[in-house]
Amino acid sequence: MTIRPERPTDVAAIRAVNERAFGQPDEAALVDAVRARGEQSICLVAVDGERLVGHILFTPVTIQGPDRVCEAVGLAPMAVDPGHQRRGIGSRLVARGLDRCREAGYRIAVVLGHPAYYPRFGFVPARRHGIRFELDVPDEAFMVTELAPGSLEGCTGVACYVKEFMSP
């Protein structure tokens, strides 16, 4: 299994993995729209032999506070082909993706995801730090993690994703 950056030749396979993993085209369309606008920060794929079996995307997020704006990165979506799930591929994508975010200088990451899955990577409910998602979502599902110690100090407010995430 290899985790590597997305290549232009991966686009169709990424779309297919997202469609199969989510059982519908919305996430695949989101990835395509973000890519078309050049908004992705980090996009990695998991390849088993010659077959692309997983994908993860990180995009810019701003946390708009009363006195300051904090730059962050949002993890979404993350997809693993159904025939390859439960083999640790998603965990490897998340871990390597967060490492790449740190290497790129990001200090904060957020995710709207399963509250039993993401805490293993250091994510905690964002409300604990005074951060909320711009839409009404369950508190336990919107999470944040520091990619650099102390980066959440004084960072509160509303996490705003790129516009493609807010489109119907």
Side-chain angles (χ1 to χ4, degrees):
M1 182 69 54
T2 302
I3 307 291
R4 63 164 172 77
E6 166 188 313
R7 297 176 184 156
T9 55
D10 295 330
V11 171
I14 289 170
R15 184 178 307 110
V17 163
N18 275 280
E19 287 176 352
R20 286 192 301 269
F22 290 100
Q24 45 88 25
D26 293 354
E27 285 77 9
L30 169 65
V31 171
D32 288 342
V34 168
R35 184 186 300 108
R37 239 188 79 208
E39 291 289 356
Q40 75 264 31
S41 293
I42 294 170
C43 185
L44 302 175
V45 296
V47 181
D48 186 12
E50 295 295 316
R51 184 168 182 217
L52 193 143
V53 297
H55 166 257
I56 193 166
L57 177 66
F58 294 86
T59 56
V61 169
T62 56
I63 300 171
Q64 306 280 336
D67 301 319
R68 104 183 226 214
V69 175
C70 300
E71 300 299 323
V73 65
L75 184 171
M78 190 269 290
V80 176
D81 191 84
H84 287 78
Q85 291 177 358
R86 308 247 185 269
R87 296 182 187 173
I89 296 168
S91 292
R92 290 181 61 193
L93 282 165
V94 172
R96 182 64 187 126
L98 292 174
D99 286 345
R100 290 291 304 271
C101 289
R102 283 184 196 92
E103 293 164 8
Y106 289 101
R107 299 175 49 84
I108 299 168
V110 295
V111 66
L112 177 61
H114 199 286
Y117 183 77
Y118 289 98
R120 71 183 79 176
F121 305 102
F123 285 93
V124 298
R127 287 270 187 186
R128 290 186 192 171
H129 293 279
I131 300 170
R132 64 182 177 81
F133 191 63
E134 57 191 307
L135 300 175
D136 186 29
V137 299
D139 283 349
E140 66 275 7
F142 187 61
M143 297 167 271
V144 65
T145 190
E146 288 184 322
L147 300 177
S151 58
L152 283 169
E153 188 173 321
C155 183
T156 63
V158 179
C160 302
Y161 282 66
V162 295
K163 72 176 187 171
E164 287 78 8
F165 281 84
M166 297 301 121
S167 300

